[in-house]
Amino acid sequence: MNPSIEARRGLLRQLSPHVRVALDHREPRMRLKPRIIFDYELLYLEKGELTLRIEQDVYKIVPGDIVLFKPGKEHEILGSAGECRMPHIHFDLMYDGQSEAVPVNFKPLRECSPDEVRLIRPDLLGDVLHMPDILRIGNHGEILHQLLKLIHAYDRRDEAFIVLQKSLVLSIVHQLIKGLEAKHNARLTLHEKALERTVTHIVDHYNREVNLDELSRVACLSVYHFSRLFKERFGLSPHQFQIRRRIEKAKEYMLYSSRSLTSIAEEVGYGSVYAFSKAFKQAEGVSPRQFIRSFSGG
């Protein structure tokens, strides 16, 4: 597998966000002196205009723009136009033993002590997920909705907020990823509904062979065009996707029913228990019987 893809997946599996500050900030004259922060700040400009600098680059920010201030990158807000409404959060991507003690910083790097410099988090969103500093994406309204929900919950935080804030930040990160994917691959966005129809068709007919001709008709695309788009969108060929669905359904039967392996093989579309066992071991690394024993303790 491509190392960069594996790094992305590894990071996404480990995410455990911690929200430090959540504010629905309104300001008629917005300025911010040069500083760095130790964590991330995600700011959505809902109203007004901002002129800001991040490192050497100057940006004009308008409503609908999302700014991702990253750990250790110097930035400043040079000025504003009109009253600015800026819902924003400070957060860690990974909770650790220092997360509760990390302050929001308002100093440039040269004024930070060595102990403060050590608080700077790694920029995983930039280095691994390749998120830019400024995000102009089509689904920004969905991100605003999640952001305001998070701010509302933060104002009323109780013990359960520990769980809720993680889920809401993860939802925001998911929306950022999907928005960037849609922006960078307009073809996938154009055919998203067609691809979803084919996935539904595979899921509904997992127990029989669904060939490319059939799926391309469902998608109303040529076989060649459909195959390429499907692999780009889901990271698997349609055939591999169907095998995965069959194996997952088989595991469900093995864990929650008393069916024989022969019966399960037939139910998920294999002509023999031998063919099923071979496909299962290729997918899971163990035989069906070994899989059952690992859960039953037998």
Side-chain angles (χ1 to χ4, degrees):
M1 181 179 290
N2 185 315
S4 64
I5 294 176
E6 187 57 36
R8 284 172 60 89
R9 291 182 179 177
L11 172 61
L12 295 175
R13 292 186 189 103
Q14 297 175 56
L15 294 186
S16 180
H18 171 71
V19 174
R20 187 163 290 108
V21 173
L23 291 173
D24 188 358
H25 190 196
R26 301 167 191 255
E27 183 63 48
R29 294 182 183 87
M30 185 64 194
R31 283 191 177 273
L32 183 68
K33 293 180 179 180
R35 68 163 183 173
I36 64 157
I37 52 177
F38 307 134
D39 54 1
Y40 290 102
E41 179 183 355
L42 186 137
L43 180 150
Y44 182 100
L45 186 63
E46 186 175 3
K47 181 181 178 184
E49 292 185 2
L50 292 174
T51 302
L52 61 87
R53 175 183 66 83
I54 301 177
E55 305 265 285
Q56 305 304 316
D57 298 315
V58 176
Y59 302 94
K60 182 74 73 175
I61 306 302
V62 299
D65 286 351
I66 297 167
V67 184
L68 181 62
F69 296 109
K70 296 172 181 173
K73 292 187 76 169
E74 185 174 278
H75 58 271
E76 64 178 315
I77 296 178
L78 302 169
S80 63
E83 182 187 45
C84 294
R85 184 181 183 188
M86 303 160 287
H88 68 277
I89 57 172
H90 280 266
F91 66 99
D92 277 349
L93 202 58
M94 304 283 200
Y95 182 85
D96 62 26
Q98 288 186 311
S99 291
E100 302 288 353
V102 174
V104 175
N105 186 56
F106 289 93
K107 298 182 291 187
L109 182 62
R110 64 181 178 275
E111 296 179 12
C112 294
S113 70
D115 285 341
E116 288 175 322
V117 171
R118 282 192 284 272
L119 294 176
I120 298 173
R121 318 318 238 176
D123 178 19
L124 299 172
L125 291 179
D127 294 342
V128 180
L129 299 186
H130 308 299
M131 287 190 182
D133 299 326
I134 310 299
L135 297 99
R136 293 178 170 127
I137 50 182
N139 62 338
H140 62 86
E142 298 171 56
I143 293 167
L144 173 62
H145 175 74
Q146 296 297 318
L147 193 56
L148 292 176
K149 186 175 180 180
L150 177 53
I151 293 168
H152 179 88
Y154 182 86
D155 289 338
R156 295 153 179 78
R157 57 192 181 278
D158 55 15
E159 186 177 8
F161 178 74
I162 294 172
V163 177
L164 180 60
Q165 56 99 16
K166 290 180 188 293
S167 68
L168 289 172
V169 175
L170 289 174
S171 178
I172 289 169
V173 171
H174 175 258
Q175 293 293 343
L176 293 173
I177 291 171
K178 302 309 291 182
L180 288 170
E181 285 179 353
K183 181 176 181 179
H184 294 146
N185 197 332
R187 293 180 308 145
L188 290 182
T189 304
L190 178 64
H191 298 296
E192 182 72 24
K193 289 184 179 179
L195 293 173
E196 286 296 330
R197 285 200 306 272
T198 62
V199 168
T200 300
H201 193 77
I202 292 172
V203 169
D204 289 345
H205 301 92
Y206 69 90
N207 58 351
R208 67 171 177 81
E209 188 65 35
V210 180
N211 60 39
L212 280 176
D213 287 334
E214 182 178 345
L215 290 172
S216 63
R217 286 195 298 273
V218 171
C220 299
L221 296 167
S222 71
V223 170
Y224 174 75
H225 193 40
F226 164 71
S227 298
R228 289 182 59 199
L229 288 173
F230 193 98
K231 183 71 178 287
E232 286 181 42
R233 174 65 179 82
F234 298 105
L236 298 170
S237 70
H239 179 67
Q240 291 169 329
F241 193 98
Q242 184 173 29
I243 290 175
R244 186 177 71 179
R245 173 62 178 167
R246 286 177 170 179
I247 297 302
E248 289 302 314
K249 198 66 180 177
K251 291 193 306 191
E252 178 184 328
Y253 286 132
M254 284 187 277
L255 293 175
Y256 301 109
S257 79
S258 57
R259 294 180 182 220
S260 67
L261 287 181
T262 300
S263 173
I264 292 171
E266 292 175 355
E267 180 62 32
V268 299
Y270 287 93
S272 69
V273 71
Y274 171 78
F276 165 65
S277 297
K278 182 179 179 182
F280 190 94
K281 189 166 186 177
Q282 284 180 331
E284 298 295 315
V286 296
S287 70
R289 294 190 189 282
Q290 288 171 319
F291 176 82
I292 293 170
R293 282 199 296 270
S294 69
F295 283 91
S296 65

